[in-house]
Amino acid sequence: MRNRARQRATTAGRGLVLLLLALPGPLLFVLYLFGLGVASLGLLWPGEWLVGRCRAAANLGRRLARDWGGVEVPVPYRPAPPEPQPDAEGWYRHDKALYRKPRIPRYLRRVVWLAEDPATNRDLNWMLLNTVAGAVLGLLAVLGGRTFLRAHGLWTRLLLSPVRPCRWWEWIVHGLHDLWHLVVLGLLAVVNLLAGVLLVVLFVVTHVLGAFVWWPWCNRAARLLAGLGRSLAGKWSGVAVDEVYLPFVAPLPTSDGLYRAGRMLRKSPRPAIRWARYRQAMTDPASARDLLWLLGDGPVTAALLAPLAALCWVFGWGFWIPFWIWIGGLFSDVGQPWAELPAPAKWLAETPLAGFPLGLAAGAAVVALAPPLVRLHGRWTRVLLAPTGKTLLAQRVRRLAETRADATEAEDTQLRRIERDLHDGAQARLIALGLKLAAAEQLLDSDPQRARELLGESKAESGQTLAELRALVRGIRPPVLTERGLVDAVRALALDLSVRIEVSADLPGRCPSAVESAAYFATRELVTNALKHAGAEAIRVELDYQQGSLRVVVTDDGSGGADPDRGSGLRGIRRRLGTFDGTLHLSSPLGGPTRATMEIPCALSSQKTSSSSETA
């Protein structure tokens, strides 16, 4: 009996501790956000310290769930990013930008590490919701026993663990995440509206004062906010919004070395560059759409949030406020503090249990409506910020013109290389061969032994010349590619290498000759890069035909880190494919694996190539 009373007191004490630990949840939530904001402003040490203290509070909840509730809750925080290291030229890289010193790359890496960690959202949700649910479960543990301690542990695992034990729990957590996303989108909508109004005022002021050449700097701010909207639409709502702006065309000098800026000619190129940027900002349709989106995002987001706000009001009055009034009435002799409330609220306060079903229904409606509202916001963003069909067509025409020029230049370079190889190699050997044959003809009667030696040397040189010509022809187009097709040519390439290469193909026919040649040499370049730069030990090549396009996927287990902006070989592949309106999509995170996907629109002949898989 004494042991049972002691266990009862221990359980009540633990429930009281959980109740007290749940109360500072909103304060921790604010401090967590403040720490993230301080870190994003460049004050890494105080921001990370504050975030670390808040995470320590969440880890305390995990530890108590394990020790008191018997529920294991893992700690899912991502490890801190490594310190930036310089490349061979002493530059520090972050994404596609290079920096001379490591301070900015380190700052950007750590801010992304803190902000994009999924555990951050889970901590914030727990700090807000645990204030109510954790307090109620702690109070029930004081009154009811150990069962509610385990319930508190299960509740903690539900919010703080990346593993979801049940689908309907996943639905609730997903709805809460999207609800938090809507709150962020609402705050950003206010910022976008204020920025849009400010940009309209600046547009009028700059043109009235004649300082319109400074408008591109204002337009750049609109692009940044619109780019953030595109990014959030893709990440949160799953609605991809492409970004297409007209390219900047640098002004060229006239025949007398002057630069045109509007109707004036200047000696310095700076006014002409400012004028060109102004013309680009004024003529680009995407700039007008960015400004319209900034002005309209506020009203549209407010319309989306209006039903949620009404449901949240019902949720508060129907469940939480009557509940706390009822709890306060148990310990108060004041009478009825809710006498001055409106009639519906007064009725709920006088009969608080009647508001529970209404509050629960409103809360469930909020969780259910949050995901579709986030998707609606993403579609609204796509309506204004996605490029129009006319813009995409103009971009495609411009891209084809650029790739056609690149193809013409590449073809001219190839012809010059062939001419040089023939001149310096086969042609010189053939001339030498002709001279030796002429000398052998003259010595045939006077010195037959020497003539036979010259004939033997001529025979050996003719073999070497034939080998050089064959190598040159294979460099232009391998014979196996002409005779057997792309699949067998790739398999022959795999047989010549020492690493394991698996080739899987499913082509119902043969592609046009030019497409086969482009795909073969692009595949060879990707395989060579994987061996030379990534140190790959296994490579897989997949060839198939989908929706009117030849699709080639090259995957390797190398070190990754491939970047088309830094490698001339990958840029050459894109130019080669661009001639046929083809594309190259590259996924190459640091540490690998690297996956390159090439797609070339083409038609197939009727010849059947059987589906097969082969490892070389």
Side-chain angles (χ1 to χ4, degrees):
M1 191 68 181
R2 184 178 301 174
N3 291 335
R4 183 177 299 178
R6 184 179 302 171
Q7 292 178 358
R8 178 70 177 173
T10 302
T11 302
R14 291 176 177 178
L16 183 61
V17 170
L18 294 176
L19 172 62
L20 296 176
L21 290 178
L23 297 180
L27 178 60
L28 292 174
F29 178 85
V30 173
L31 292 177
Y32 209 131
L33 291 180
F34 182 73
L36 293 175
V38 169
S40 65
L41 293 177
L43 303 176
L44 285 178
W45 183 84
E48 290 183 6
W49 181 87
L50 196 54
V51 170
R53 302 287 72 76
C54 295
R55 286 185 171 183
N59 286 332
L60 176 61
R62 295 183 176 95
R63 188 166 63 251
L64 295 181
R66 180 195 62 196
D67 297 340
W68 293 352
V71 179
E72 190 68 31
V73 183
V75 181
Y77 298 114
R78 292 178 178 175
E83 294 294 325
Q85 300 296 327
D87 58 12
E89 298 179 356
W91 290 91
Y92 295 87
R93 180 189 176 194
H94 181 75
D95 289 339
K96 297 181 180 180
L98 297 176
Y99 301 89
R100 178 57 67 184
K101 296 183 179 180
R103 181 174 60 85
I104 296 180
R106 182 179 184 275
Y107 155 70
L108 294 174
R109 286 186 183 184
R110 300 190 76 85
V111 168
V112 171
W113 165 58
L114 291 174
E116 295 188 357
D117 191 346
T120 299
N121 286 335
R122 290 192 288 268
D123 287 350
L124 292 173
N125 291 334
W126 176 77
M127 290 171 184
L128 277 183
L129 299 177
N130 193 59
T131 305
V132 178
V136 172
L137 291 174
L139 180 61
L140 293 176
V142 174
L143 302 175
R146 293 181 56 85
T147 303
F148 294 101
L149 288 180
R150 180 165 179 80
H152 190 280
L154 294 173
W155 159 258
T156 303
R157 185 176 66 179
L158 169 67
L159 287 188
L160 293 182
S161 174
V163 180
R164 304 298 179 221
C166 192
R167 287 188 176 181
W168 67 279
W169 290 121
E170 294 179 359
W171 175 79
I172 293 177
V173 174
H174 180 63
L176 293 175
H177 283 171
D178 283 339
L179 182 62
W180 166 246
H181 294 162
L182 284 173
V183 173
V184 175
L185 291 175
L187 297 176
L188 289 177
V190 176
V191 175
N192 291 336
L193 180 60
L194 295 177
V197 174
L198 179 61
L199 288 174
V200 171
V201 174
L202 290 176
F203 177 81
V204 175
V205 170
T206 52
H207 285 72
V208 168
L209 298 180
F212 49 85
V213 292
W214 298 107
W215 168 246
W217 298 99
C218 303
N219 185 57
R220 185 173 299 180
R223 286 193 178 188
L224 291 175
L225 291 173
L228 179 60
R230 292 186 182 94
S231 176
L232 295 182
K235 289 181 180 179
W236 290 352
S237 61
V239 180
V241 184
D242 296 328
E243 178 180 299
V244 178
Y245 293 101
L246 293 178
F248 174 71
V249 180
L252 299 176
T254 59
S255 57
D256 53 357
L258 299 178
Y259 294 87
R260 181 178 178 180
R263 298 183 180 180
M264 302 295 294
L265 294 176
R266 306 284 188 180
K267 293 183 179 180
S268 174
R270 292 182 179 179
I273 292 176
R274 289 198 295 266
W275 176 260
R277 293 191 184 278
Y278 170 75
R279 292 291 301 168
Q280 179 199 24
M282 294 298 295
T283 57
D284 193 347
S287 299
R289 291 197 299 270
D290 290 347
L291 188 57
L292 288 176
W293 180 79
L294 291 177
L295 293 173
D297 189 44
V300 171
T301 306
L304 293 177
L305 292 178
L308 284 185
L311 289 172
C312 289
W313 185 87
V314 174
F315 177 72
W317 281 105
F319 185 70
W320 299 116
I321 291 180
F323 177 78
W324 289 114
I325 290 176
W326 177 58
I327 292 295
L330 297 178
F331 305 97
S332 176
D333 298 330
V334 177
Q336 295 184 346
W338 52 84
E340 302 298 329
L341 293 176
K346 181 179 178 181
W347 175 77
L348 289 174
E350 292 177 346
T351 56
L353 294 178
F356 285 180
L358 183 62
L360 288 175
V366 168
V367 174
L369 282 177
L373 289 180
V374 171
R375 289 193 294 270
L376 282 176
H377 188 275
R379 292 174 182 174
W380 141 255
T381 302
R382 185 173 59 184
V383 167
L384 274 188
L385 295 185
T388 61
K390 183 178 180 181
T391 303
L392 291 176
L393 179 61
Q395 182 193 34
R396 185 177 181 185
V397 171
R398 184 171 61 251
R399 181 168 172 266
L400 287 175
E402 294 173 354
T403 54
R404 187 178 295 112
D406 291 337
T408 304
E409 182 181 356
E411 182 180 1
D412 184 63
T413 302
Q414 181 79 347
L415 290 175
R416 288 199 302 268
R417 183 186 67 81
I418 295 172
E419 180 185 5
R420 184 176 63 252
D421 291 344
L422 288 173
H423 181 272
D424 298 340
Q427 180 179 345
R429 287 187 178 276
L430 289 174
I431 293 175
L433 180 61
L435 293 176
K436 286 186 178 182
L437 290 175
E441 184 181 6
Q442 295 178 359
L443 296 174
L444 188 61
D445 295 331
S446 60
D447 192 353
Q449 182 64 27
R450 178 58 181 163
R452 281 194 293 272
E453 292 178 357
L454 289 176
L455 288 175
E457 294 176 3
S458 300
K459 181 179 179 181
E461 288 191 4
S462 66
Q464 294 177 0
T465 304
L466 181 60
E468 288 186 2
L469 287 175
R470 286 175 175 172
L472 182 62
V473 170
R474 281 196 296 269
I476 300 173
R477 182 177 176 87
V480 66
L481 182 63
T482 303
E483 298 170 2
R484 304 290 300 275
L486 177 62
V487 176
D488 289 335
V490 174
R491 290 194 179 122
L493 172 65
L495 292 174
D496 294 336
L497 300 174
S498 59
V499 301
R500 181 171 60 90
I501 299 182
E502 182 180 353
V503 180
S504 175
D506 184 12
L507 293 179
R510 288 196 60 173
C511 303
S513 175
V515 173
E516 284 188 339
S517 180
Y520 171 79
F521 285 107
T523 303
R524 189 177 73 175
E525 180 71 21
L526 290 173
V527 171
T528 302
N529 288 344
L531 298 176
K532 182 179 179 181
H533 301 293
E537 298 180 356
I539 301 175
R540 177 177 175 83
V541 180
E542 304 172 42
L543 302 99
D544 59 3
Y545 187 79
Q546 298 180 1
Q547 299 178 354
S549 296
L550 171 66
R551 185 171 178 267
V552 183
V553 181
V554 180
T555 309
D556 67 78
D557 61 350
S559 58
D563 187 355
D565 295 331
R566 296 191 303 166
S568 58
L570 295 174
R571 288 198 299 268
I573 291 175
R574 282 189 168 173
R575 289 196 299 267
R576 185 189 295 271
L577 300 181
T579 307
F580 305 94
D581 200 17
T583 58
L584 169 65
H585 300 285
L586 188 67
S587 173
S588 182
L590 290 175
T594 297
R595 180 182 176 89
T597 303
M598 299 179 290
E599 295 185 357
I600 308 176
C602 64
L604 296 184
S605 63
S606 59
Q607 180 181 350
K608 173 66 179 178
T609 300
S610 61
S611 303
S612 60
S613 180
E614 179 178 323
T615 301

